[in-house]
Amino acid sequence: MTAIPGLGTPRLASPDLLRSAFRRHAAGVAVITAQGGTGPVGFTATSLTSVSAEPPLVSFGIGTRSSCWPAVSEADHIGVHVLGEHQEALAGTFARSGADRFAAPTGWREGPEGVPLLDDVLAWLVCRVVTRVPAGDHRVVIAEVVVGDPSGSGRPLLYHQGRFSGLRD
């Protein structure tokens, strides 16, 4: 391949190319939770997207090899939590494989529809799962907002260049 003036040297599509490109994309950080057969499950997600206002729909991606996938694949309802910059450690806990994510110091309670709700987040939503769409080694989950609370205070946590950070003025 040859360089394209002003655009650098193109690379053929690969998982590494995708990861490298999206490391440059700043994304908000959320935690998705569900009630599983053996207790609550949850994971950190940067793929959360608002899909529709009428009806109110959100989407997120989850890997089918994720330890949370079995519970999310069967859950009727899931929790969506928008994290604040004060919750970097919480985001790390929910991103770490093998972590006891709901043990102290994680604060949480059972919310509507039995969904685990995390404490002190910027916003939380309980959503009814509408569909799970196959997408390569992931599934895109689309869910309709049922109830929520957007009244948390603080600034959002972001993920960029492989690390968590906050907004800068």
Side-chain angles (χ1 to χ4, degrees), residues 33-124:
T33 61
Q35 188 57 251
T38 59
V41 300
F43 64 97
T44 300
T46 57
S47 61
L48 179 65
T49 303
S50 170
V51 174
S52 167
E54 290 293 330
L57 298 174
V58 299
S59 72
F60 60 88
I62 179 172
T64 56
R65 289 184 286 211
S66 164
S67 61
C68 297
W69 171 242
V72 173
S73 73
E74 296 182 6
D76 291 328
H77 291 83
I78 52 94
V80 174
H81 308 82
V82 178
L83 300 190
E85 63 186 0
H86 63 284
Q87 295 177 302
E88 184 175 333
L90 182 69
T93 297
F94 277 83
R96 198 167 30 259
S97 180
D100 188 353
R101 298 170 178 153
F102 289 89
T106 300
W108 68 282
R109 65 197 178 287
E110 185 176 303
E113 304 296 338
V115 171
L117 294 180
L118 302 176
D119 294 342
D120 200 28
V121 295
L122 298 186
W124 62 264

Side-chain angles (χ1 to χ4, degrees), residues 58-60 128-134 139-144:
V58 299
S59 72
F60 60 88
R128 180 184 60 80
V129 175
V130 174
T131 192
R132 298 166 185 90
V133 181
R139 295 298 181 267
V140 175
V141 177
I142 299 175
E144 183 174 8

